[in-house]
Amino acid sequence: MHPRATPHTCGLLDVGGGQSVYWEESGNPRGIPALYVHGGPGGGLGAGGYTMKLDPERFRVLAFEQRGCGRSTPRAGDAAHDLDANTTARLVADMEQLRQDRGVEAWVLNGVSWGSTLALAYAQAHPERTLGLVLMAVTTTRRAEVDWITEGVGTLYPEAWNRLATHAELADPGYRRGQGRLVEAYAALMRDPDPAVRRAAASAWGEWEDTHVSIGAGGLHRDPSWQDEAWAVPFATLVTHYWAHDAFLDPPVLDRVAEIAHLPAWLIHGRLDVSGPASTPWLLHQRWPASTLVVVEDEGHGGPRMVQAWCEANDALARGLP
């Protein structure tokens, strides 16, 4: 990986409706513009490790925290945050406003996990502003993927899924397993007016998140971020909100690949990623002649060889640009 870069510029972008989006910029101000799109939804930029995947001499690296999370204000779960206005179309509009605000003509998109879905949605809305895409742990957040990650993976982790479903049944009298979508029950719990209900649902959701990504990641490790209410509640609010609504994408991005089939792309995925099976990037690749599919056999939802492939893909993409 490249050295971690410290942002030399950052700010809050007013995107209307009382919402502001945090952004930051690092690397070469005269380099190839590249936008990092984080996962979640609601994951934020973390400690800035994304900068290590892009050559700071070659790229002008931009990143933002999607509305409702991280340093964007107000956060999801806050009374001032308009969750109903938090949709994929709005996030795409925020990205386009950031591009214009920063004076970027067109940029390379880097997306990880949910970020790959959002990067695809942006590219399909603005292909003329997209130079190419590098996507890792690829998702499209269509209904089948959401039902798999919230219900189907329970066949591999029945104990953990039972705890997840039991919490919903006890907290939401309207939910019974097998009679409704579990993700919709959690989306409703995360909108409950009682903060204690939201905190408890976020904690239960966090245990499930840590469990289903554990294969290929060296076993189950609890992410300490779930102990931070200021991070956990917005994350659980946003992820269940988007998943319960099939990412607000109709038609899904998988059905619109022809609109970006001319753009160069790298699709990097772990064979052991049971949360998001390799069938998703494979289906994208079949419809995308200009894409390169990289499947790392012994890693899951991220890993060192996948990160290496991510770095190499950015370098290869840069070499191919004018």
Side-chain angles (χ1 to χ4, degrees):
M1 293 189 288
H2 301 284
R4 187 187 301 267
T6 300
H8 52 69
T9 314
C10 66
L12 282 172
L13 178 67
D14 183 348
V15 292
Q19 313 295 305
S20 295
V21 167
Y22 172 81
W23 61 270
E24 60 188 31
E25 185 174 333
S26 60
N28 182 355
R30 297 184 179 182
I32 301 167
L35 179 69
Y36 171 69
V37 188
H38 68 70
L45 297 179
Y50 70 90
T51 62
M52 303 171 71
K53 288 78 175 181
L54 292 137
D55 185 344
E57 298 297 323
R58 177 175 275 172
F59 286 99
R60 175 188 176 188
V61 184
L62 296 103
F64 73 110
E65 292 185 308
Q66 295 154 31
R67 59 170 60 200
C69 73
R71 286 155 286 188
S72 295
T73 59
R75 290 181 175 180
D78 204 323
H81 181 78
D82 186 357
L83 190 60
D84 292 326
N86 200 325
T87 66
T88 301
R90 280 303 320 162
L91 297 184
V92 167
D94 294 347
M95 294 162 70
E96 180 61 5
Q97 185 176 338
L98 177 62
R99 182 193 66 78
Q100 295 172 5
D101 182 78
R102 301 307 301 154
V104 172
E105 183 67 22
W107 46 17
V108 170
L109 300 177
N110 274 213
V112 175
S113 193
W114 152 255
S116 60
T117 297
L118 184 52
L120 286 164
Y122 177 90
Q124 290 171 350
H126 301 284
E128 75 286 355
R129 302 300 182 186
T130 306
L131 299 173
L133 301 94
V134 176
L135 310 178
M136 191 182 86
V138 183
T139 71
T140 68
T141 319
R142 68 195 194 279
R143 172 66 67 98
E145 293 172 49
V146 172
D147 286 349
W148 169 256
I149 199 172
T150 57
E151 309 269 358
V153 177
T155 61
L156 301 178
Y157 297 104
E159 306 94 336
W161 190 86
N162 179 65
R163 290 192 294 272
L164 185 72
T166 297
H167 179 88
E169 288 175 326
L170 294 175
D172 180 359
Y175 171 75
R176 289 294 178 271
R177 66 186 75 193
Q179 299 177 19
R181 298 181 75 209
L182 183 57
V183 69
E184 293 178 2
Y186 271 89
L189 290 173
M190 294 311 304
R191 298 188 76 146
D192 193 280
D194 187 344
V197 172
R198 299 198 298 272
R199 287 194 298 268
S203 178
W205 188 267
E207 182 189 354
W208 175 246
E209 289 268 357
D210 287 347
T211 299
H212 67 67
V213 300
S214 62
I215 291 181
L220 175 60
H221 301 284
R222 292 309 312 273
D223 187 337
S225 297
W226 290 107
Q227 303 302 314
D228 179 5
E229 181 184 341
W231 183 90
V233 170
F235 183 99
T237 300
L238 289 170
V239 73
T240 56
H241 171 65
Y242 273 84
W243 287 6
H245 291 92
D246 304 330
F248 301 94
L249 290 168
D250 185 18
V253 293
L254 190 60
D255 293 347
R256 298 179 57 193
V257 179
E259 299 170 29
I260 56 172
H262 61 289
L263 295 173
W266 276 258
L267 312 174
I268 303 162
H269 208 79
R271 181 76 71 191
L272 301 182
D273 190 346
V274 300
S275 305
S279 57
T280 292
W282 184 83
L283 287 170
L284 273 171
H285 178 57
Q286 297 306 301
R287 304 180 188 192
W288 200 336
S291 71
T292 299
L293 176 63
V294 179
V295 177
V296 178
E297 296 293 337
D298 57 352
E299 292 181 350
H301 201 67
R305 291 177 58 203
M306 292 173 67
V307 169
Q308 180 182 352
W310 180 1
C311 298
E312 292 172 352
N314 278 313
D315 290 341
L317 181 54
R319 289 193 298 269
L321 293 174

